[in-house]
Amino acid sequence: MAVYVGRFGFRLARQGFQHGKGRIMQRVMMESTYASAQPRLEEVREEWERFLVEPQQMPEPKIDEPRSKIGKEEPPRNLLEHHPEEIFHPPEKLQENAHIRGMDMYQQLYRESIEDLDRYWKQVASELYFEKHSDKGLEWNFDHRKGDVFVKFLDGAKTNIAYNCLERNIQKGLGSKIAYIWEGNEPGDYKTITYSELLEQVVKFSEVLRSKGVRKGDVVAIYMPMVLELPVALLACARIGASHSVVFAGFSADSLASRIQQAKAKLMKRYRCAMNSGSTGTPKGLVHTTAGFMTYAYHSVKTVFDAKPEDIYWCTADAGWITGHTCVVYGPLLNGLTSIIFEGIPTYPNGSRVWQIVEKYKATQLYTSPTAVRSLMAYPNEMVTAHSRDSLKIIGVAGENTNPSAWLWLHRLVGGNKCSILDLYWQTENGGPMITPLPGATPLKPGSATLPFFGIEPALVNEKGDQLEGAAEGYLCFARAWPGMARTIWRDHERFVKTYFSTYPGYYFTGDGAKRDQDSYYWITGRVDDQFNVSGHLLSTAEVEAALMQHPDVVESAVVATKHSSKGQVPYAFVVLAFGKYLTPELAAEIKQVVRSKIGAFAVPEIVHPAPGLPKNRSGKVLRRILRIIADGDQAKNLGDTTTLLDESVIEQLWETRPDIKLNANE
Ligand code: PRX
């Protein structure tokens, strides 16, 4: 049985979604493969409306008046300049009290974790509650030639993630602690909910689900924006042992339908399922399991974000993405944190909204996407300095490459040189960060995701699958299993094996390329499918994009290869310019010069296309296949599925702004 919990009455806005105050309707739609269950739809809707239309009155939080600092804080000079070799050491204050203090401690723990994976992960799991324990640790086979590919962790153990998030914390005395602060799109709209209140709501909603026939093993598809009822719905499913598949609330009807279609695969026992971002092909229902996901989410949020009881943690991800599962719902609750859920648009009513929220709630961690950072960078620096960011300790970014300019902007301007800026590398398939700095330990290099997390063994391999040693560039794989990894693709184990284990048998292949430098730091070079060959050089799009963004007038960029009648393949750059800038021939020449000096003449884009925006999906990833078609000038070509785009009108604007230069026979 699949139940679809929706919340309507919001309208899609350019950068996400928002809803008008007071115009919200709550609904539950219930569907079943069994026709006999269909009439329940209305009943469930009514019940859900009764449940939510009269929300509990939340106590007002005690929040200081925002302190305006306009004109008092000078933005730093030479904000984005840095020497490529420059290393940023952990701020002393952070290092003193961190869970992982200093590199020696990291290295020792890392060594121990690799030497005895089972001991390490069992120790972490022992901090959580298990109704039934297991003697087993991590068991896996990554080599399909030796038998079925599988991963197991604590096989036979019994636990409940909702219990670990709620009752376990309440028993420790956190009942009256605020679990979530919800901030609406309209500044001034907020609510809070304590751990005890959250449990109460979860119990009520799990009763609603139960009374409507949802049982252990059923799949519940949840379709609602970032409101407090969202974690309530997720936890209620987890509490009764139903699986949930969260569909991002901004998806169009078609996209929702394709995900519901997948969720119709019912009776997913004990599993939770997260769709990956679907930036290519059809969405994959990645199956995560409770004990493994819980252990990894708990430990990674605790150590990577150095979670402390007094923290106000803010992850801006939507719960429809894995980052929202790990870092909005489960990770923070498992750690007993207070976190912020923001339903609005980061630039509404203006470009300082994010900093306003940081100041208002005294957020200690901010975790967002590089794309959001770049869009905030496009606003004047005064939008940041107008608000106090004194409370911030850690700023995390993940989901794509963070170009050094964005990193430096976060470090120097937002963090005032006293925050740790973390570039976390991971995937939906991973459940949590895989290559990541630790704030009190890792010396940072802008643009690098740095070093592996505990128990993670990255491997760089060449085309033949040979493992490369020392400083090298290759295909990024993982040589051992970890608890948080997806176990299969829902109802398509063959696709799981083919996608991740067939290219390099014996390894989990990420699909990404990476470089490892002389200090063993990892630098992600992008999806290997996006790399291309120019005059015999293999070019990583990430590298050219990072160079382009070193020009102060370039806010965003995406580089693709396009066909050239005489040169074969050439780089074609889409650049989004800073507010008020236009692409003059002089500016185009300057931009190309940055690439020439940072990488080399061969990497200089043949065309610089001043783009009004980039075609992104709703997690902020650029859909390059669309850009390739535009670069090729192939107007007749079918663009494929564009329903996951944040703003479909950008495609037309890109065709309109495409420079009128013929590169190949398509035009
Ligand atoms: O290409 C890598 C990129 O995002 C992909 C995973 O996306 P998704 O499944 O949506 O999960 C996002 C969870 C954060 C990866 O295969 N990616 C993710 N983090 C980074 C990154 N690329 C560069 N640097 C990163 N820190």
Side-chain angles (χ1 to χ4, degrees):
M1 180 181 298
V3 178
Y4 308 112
V5 181
R7 179 169 177 172
F8 297 87
F10 59 88
R11 63 188 164 85
L12 287 180
R14 199 164 182 275
Q15 297 191 41
F17 52 81
Q18 62 179 41
H19 64 78
K21 220 169 148 184
R23 289 188 286 109
I24 311 156
M25 260 169 65
Q26 317 281 353
R27 288 185 194 167
V28 167
M29 286 190 293
M30 188 165 185
E31 245 188 56
S32 168
T33 38
Y34 310 105
S36 60
Q38 287 291 2
R40 288 197 186 139
L41 174 64
E42 278 305 306
E43 278 174 51
V44 179
R45 180 164 40 223
E46 279 162 25
E47 189 110 13
W48 176 247
E49 278 172 9
R50 267 202 304 281
F51 172 69
L52 289 166
V53 167
E54 298 167 39
Q56 223 179 316
Q57 269 327 139
M58 308 294 179
E60 299 263 312
K62 291 193 179 66
I63 292 159
D64 291 352
E65 282 296 299
R67 289 156 291 150
S68 175
K69 282 196 170 184
I70 295 183
K72 289 183 197 154
E73 187 186 338
E74 277 279 311
R77 279 159 206 261
N78 306 330
L79 187 58
L80 307 183
E81 278 174 25
H82 96 297
H83 191 277
E85 308 282 301
E86 193 176 359
I87 288 179
F88 296 78
H89 290 278
E92 244 169 61
K93 225 174 130 196
L94 251 177
Q95 195 167 340
E96 275 166 23
N97 303 308
H99 290 297
I100 313 297
R101 291 174 296 278
M103 275 308 265
D104 288 350
M105 184 169 172
Y106 162 75
Q107 273 155 352
Q108 189 189 331
L109 278 174
Y110 179 72
R111 228 182 359 257
E112 284 174 17
S113 70
I114 291 292
E115 275 165 17
D116 194 341
L117 280 181
D118 286 353
R119 200 176 64 176
Y120 188 82
W121 289 117
K122 281 181 166 178
Q123 169 62 36
V124 173
S126 73
E127 294 169 29
L128 298 162
Y129 175 78
F130 283 79
E131 197 181 316
K132 189 175 151 210
H133 293 273
S134 161
D135 292 339
K136 308 260 176 71
L138 264 172
E139 301 165 88
W140 75 93
N141 172 36
F142 280 3
D143 192 339
H144 64 88
R145 298 166 306 189
K146 295 184 182 159
D148 190 24
V149 168
F150 72 91
V151 182
K152 288 181 193 169
F153 177 62
L154 301 182
D155 193 33
K158 216 173 151 193
T159 186
N160 184 297
I161 196 167
Y163 181 92
N164 273 285
C165 288
L166 300 171
E167 284 97 328
R168 189 179 122 267
N169 283 319
I170 293 166
Q171 280 158 19
K172 284 199 287 186
L174 300 184
S176 56
K177 180 171 180 172
I178 292 174
Y180 287 113
I181 302 168
W182 168 84
E183 168 90 4
N185 192 45
E186 288 303 321
D189 270 4
Y190 69 88
K191 280 195 254 184
T192 60
I193 189 165
T194 64
Y195 274 85
S196 297
E197 288 163 345
L198 188 60
L199 174 62
E200 208 177 296
Q201 302 250 3
V202 168
V203 170
K204 268 197 217 163
F205 190 53
S206 53
E207 278 159 14
V208 171
L209 289 173
R210 267 211 198 99
S211 72
K212 298 303 158 199
V214 177
R215 294 284 173 268
K216 192 168 173 172
D218 288 344
V219 184
V220 179
I222 296 169
Y223 181 63
M224 54 201 302
M226 293 295 282
V227 288
L228 290 178
E229 291 80 8
L230 183 76
V232 169
L234 263 68
L235 291 161
C237 294
R239 187 178 168 84
I240 61 174
S243 308
H244 55 64
S245 172
V246 184
V247 181
F248 174 58
F251 270 131
S252 64
D254 283 357
S255 307
L256 174 64
S258 79
R259 281 151 181 85
I260 284 174
Q261 205 55 39
Q262 295 228 349
K264 264 193 179 157
K266 307 284 156 29
L267 307 169
M268 199 159 38
K269 289 198 185 83
R270 295 189 309 277
Y271 291 137
R272 301 182 332 95
C273 175
M275 297 287 177
N276 86 340
S277 52
S279 42
T280 53
T282 49
K284 298 193 271 288
L286 289 157
V287 177
H288 285 280
T289 55
T290 303
F293 174 83
M294 175 172 84
T295 305
Y296 204 72
Y298 164 70
H299 193 52
S300 57
V301 167
K302 177 175 172 177
T303 52
V304 174
F305 290 98
D306 197 33
K308 295 286 166 54
E310 63 278 11
D311 286 349
I312 307 287
Y313 176 89
W314 183 18
C315 169
T316 67
D318 189 277
W321 310 116
I322 188 71
T323 321
H325 282 60
T326 307
C327 298
V328 175
V329 182
Y330 295 110
L333 292 177
L334 288 166
N335 281 286
L337 297 182
T338 295
S339 40
I340 298 172
I341 288 193
F342 177 42
E343 193 190 350
I345 297 172
T347 50
Y348 175 83
N350 58 46
S352 68
R353 182 67 187 279
V354 168
W355 319 117
Q356 214 181 311
I357 297 174
V358 165
E359 178 175 56
K360 181 173 173 188
Y361 299 112
K362 296 197 168 60
T364 43
Q365 290 95 341
L366 172 66
Y367 179 22
T368 190
S369 65
T371 233
V373 174
R374 287 192 289 267
S375 73
L376 294 169
M377 277 175 82
Y379 290 88
N381 291 336
E382 287 71 19
M383 299 297 251
V384 179
T385 56
H387 296 278
S388 168
R389 290 97 51 220
D390 286 349
S391 55
L392 277 179
K393 300 188 292 189
I394 291 163
I395 305 173
V397 269
E400 43 172 339
N401 275 89
T402 300
N403 49 299
S405 317
W407 197 100
L408 290 165
W409 186 80
L410 287 174
H411 184 69
R412 294 191 178 140
L413 183 72
V414 178
N417 296 312
K418 61 168 190 48
C419 282
S420 186
I421 313 298
L422 310 178
D423 180 344
L424 292 71
Y425 168 84
W426 57 297
Q427 310 176 292
T428 306
E429 294 82 347
N430 306 154
M434 300 291 282
I435 300 181
T436 176
L438 298 174
T442 320
L444 305 168
K445 300 185 186 186
S448 168
T450 74
L451 299 166
F453 189 59
F454 301 115
I456 303 300
E457 189 187 334
L460 293 183
V461 302
N462 62 17
E463 270 102 46
K464 288 186 251 150
D466 303 326
Q467 196 164 330
L468 306 169
E469 300 299 330
E473 178 168 0
Y475 301 106
L476 178 63
C477 296
F478 294 108
R480 298 162 186 245
W482 62 99
M485 73 181 291
R487 304 303 196 245
T488 188
I489 291 175
W490 178 239
R491 283 186 123 196
D492 203 349
H493 193 63
E494 211 179 297
R495 186 174 173 199
F496 182 68
V497 175
K498 189 162 175 274
T499 312
Y500 308 106
F501 301 94
S502 67
T503 324
Y504 305 111
Y507 296 101
Y508 165 91
F509 175 41
T510 60
D512 291 309
K515 276 184 195 170
R516 188 171 45 219
D517 70 14
Q518 67 287 358
D519 300 323
S520 301
Y521 274 46
Y522 287 85
W523 302 72
I524 309 300
T525 52
R527 305 293 300 164
V528 293
D529 296 347
D530 293 336
Q531 295 183 341
F532 56 92
N533 213 306
V534 178
S535 327
H537 298 271
L538 193 62
L539 254 190
S540 106
T541 51
E543 208 173 340
V544 188
E545 286 158 12
L548 286 165
M549 281 184 279
Q550 288 197 12
H551 191 288
D553 293 347
V554 178
V555 178
E556 275 204 287
S557 73
V559 175
V560 294
T562 188
K563 290 168 249 164
H564 190 284
S565 327
S566 56
K567 299 185 191 168
Q569 279 193 318
V570 288
Y572 182 116
F574 293 83
V575 295
V576 178
L577 297 174
F579 189 70
K581 299 285 176 186
Y582 298 94
L583 191 76
T584 58
E586 293 75 29
L587 181 55
E590 267 182 36
I591 290 173
K592 289 182 178 185
Q593 181 53 33
V594 180
V595 179
R596 186 173 290 114
S597 65
K598 301 283 172 198
I599 307 176
F602 72 95
V604 173
E606 191 76 17
I607 303 269
V608 177
H609 177 159
L614 298 174
K616 290 181 188 169
N617 74 10
R618 290 157 210 275
S619 74
K621 281 201 215 304
V622 174
L623 270 74
R624 285 166 197 278
R625 69 185 158 80
I626 293 178
L627 291 180
R628 280 190 211 110
I629 295 171
I630 293 169
D632 286 346
D634 199 352
Q635 291 244 27
K637 190 158 177 178
N638 182 354
L639 292 177
D641 178 18
T642 55
T643 56
T644 58
L645 278 177
L646 193 58
D647 175 10
E648 285 190 60
S649 72
V650 80
I651 298 175
E652 209 178 304
Q653 294 169 30
L654 284 169
W655 281 120
E656 279 166 14
T657 50
R658 189 181 184 281
D660 192 18
I661 299 172
K662 284 197 194 326
L663 293 175
N664 59 69
N666 280 327
E667 300 164 66

